[in-house]
Amino acid sequence: MCKKETFYITTPIYYPSGNPHIGHCYTTVACDSIARYRRMQGYDVMFLTGTDEHGLKIEQKAAEKGVSPKEYVDEIAEIFKGLWRFMNISYDRYIRTTDDYHVESVQKIFKTLYDKGYIYKGEYSGKYCTPCESFWTESQLVDGKCPECGREVTEAKEEAYFFKMSPFADRIEKLLTETDYLRPKTRATELVNNFIRPGLEDLCVSRTTFKWGIPVTFDDKHVVYVWIDALSNYITALGYLNDRYDDYDKYWPADTHMVAKDIMRFHAIIWPAMLMALELPLPKHLAVHGWITFNGQKMSKSLGNVVDPFILGERYGADAIRYHIMREMALGSDSSFSNEIMINRINSDLANGLGNLVSRTVAMVEKYFGGTLPSEREAGEFDDDLIGQATSLRAKVDGFIEKTQLQNALAEIFKVVSRANKYIDETAPWILAKDENNRARLATVLYNLLDTIRIVATLLSAFMPTTMPKALEQIGADENSASYENADKFNVLPENVTVKKGEALFPRIDVEKEIEELNSIIKNNDEDPRAAKIREELAGVAQIGIDDFAASDIRVGEVKACEKVKKSKKLLKFTIFDGADERTIVSGIAMFYQPEELVGKKILFVSNLKPVKLCGVESHGMILSAVEGEGKDEKLQVLTIDGMPAGAKIC
Ligand code: MSP
């Protein structure tokens, strides 16, 4: 390649509405592997990822946490970035839709579309799914519920701007059915039948019911609806209509947008329509993969079925996780995530297959030749087959990378790993080593293995960027020999190559023990929202010393009388015998108890609170209750005790 060709690849920008999970990792790891492979091939790569930070859901989540939406997204965006560092993701740019330059560009894009007559003001009424922030038509609902998340929808109406989609219907249908844009192309039929043929509906592109969005410059009641905001990221991140970056001309149109099927419609129909309206070139490919499911359901934080990628990566190494999710998932289909399948795969492919091939070969070079191969050679049976498979591998992998079929690329590479392991069995170096006359043959067998490992590890380094450099170091490959250029050639390692034994690349995992531990982690993780709330509250309570506790004097009291406090709906006035005297305590529990209900009962009360006047009655203490919930859901029960006399102290 004389002048470097460019290659632009993007992940979706993720919603920071919860922590990232293994599902998010899939798309990002897949894009990272392609980006790394393209760099290795010599392309000038731009790999973009980021977070989609506006919208009602974020506004609500932030409110739940009692922080501003910006504070909320700042925190989660950092968690996403931390995960990508941990997974060794080599993105070139990270876009946040709250970045000023993006906001500015989106406002200009919206205005341009308006000026061109593609955006107009109207009124929307329809079925609205709040969690998905999507309006649906009656026919799109599944059993009357949101087709995306299965939750209830509500009838909603609002003034809104709309984007005219119909002028682009024919071009989009052609794009989907006659070009290589959509991958796999089999998905085109469902898009054409469900959305285009029935008549492309105009898209609602603004909201007035929440504030956390990009304001429409010429009508500040409205904020830009998330999809126009989000999809624009692919061009604003290159500097389209902003001064922050200036590589739009260099990288656009994108070579590959990768997404899962949940957002295919937006990328296959709406995004091309937006670009057509803006008169910009269309991206070359949209690669759509299925979902990683867990027990048959889409993996998601809100379903509580999430496997934390930090935990898995820490236990088995980021590369093992990267390998597993890419190897499991065919482009287009769903794949069920299972800890057991993952661990077995790591053991069989990585520990026994690849790891063992490297460690056995290196160990034999050390054992039989002190670590450095001699120059003598003697060809033999099986060599040509191994060498042929190794040298033809690169072209096959190139082909699958070209088609975004990572699972197939890995399958091809691991065929060569198996072939090499079989070659060890066929040539039996330990038998050759018994006779000094076989020295040249033994050296050849070991050299062939080392040079095969060089090819395999070079091609795999795009997929497993942490461990493959270690494998290459162990077999004595340097930067030049471990290059893409040399990955279709044989006899590249020096004749007298010196190996360097290292740690096991992928230690074997004790399946039973690990499954047990992972299951218990998931169980704790998988707690209900109430438990999560309590956990959060408990974490937020300041610790006290025993003296602080002892400062509250809590005792048993006997309720002698009780009446309502005049002019108050909430207050009851209790006469409590504290073991020595009677005292008055006013308590705000009239919504939960009739006055006579507690008379004769022994309750617990704080005796040493400073007296306060409540609705004109002086209260000398506080009755203790257990409470839960708020508003109409609030529950309350006064703490009572049997078998202890009034005046007994609680400690
Ligand atoms: N913010 C939008 C995307 C805007 S792109 C212009 C969004 N965000 S998201 O956080 O919900 O991410 C959805 C994407 O995350 C999927 O399309 C997919 O790439 C990835 N995945 C999330 N969960 C997944 C699985 N369980 N399985 C596979 N991919 C998953 O939609």
Side-chain angles (χ1 to χ4, degrees), residues 12-15 21 23 27 52 230 234 260 262-263 289-292 299:
I13 45 171
Y14 302 107
Y15 288 131
H21 53 70
T27 324
D52 182 4
Y234 300 130
D262 49 346
I263 54 175
H289 58 79
W291 283 334
I292 298 188
M299 186 176 284

Side-chain angles (χ1 to χ4, degrees), residues 37 40 393-394 397 413 455-463 484 487:
Y37 199 88
M40 197 160 76
L393 179 62
R394 192 185 83 176
V397 177
I413 300 176
I455 292 175
V456 162
T458 301
L459 297 176
L460 272 181
S461 59
F463 302 87
Y484 175 82

Side-chain angles (χ1 to χ4, degrees), residues 433-448:
K434 287 190 180 146
D435 186 344
E436 189 54 23
N437 291 329
N438 294 331
R439 193 177 148 81
R441 178 65 191 140
L442 180 60
T444 307
V445 165
L446 294 180
Y447 182 88
N448 288 345

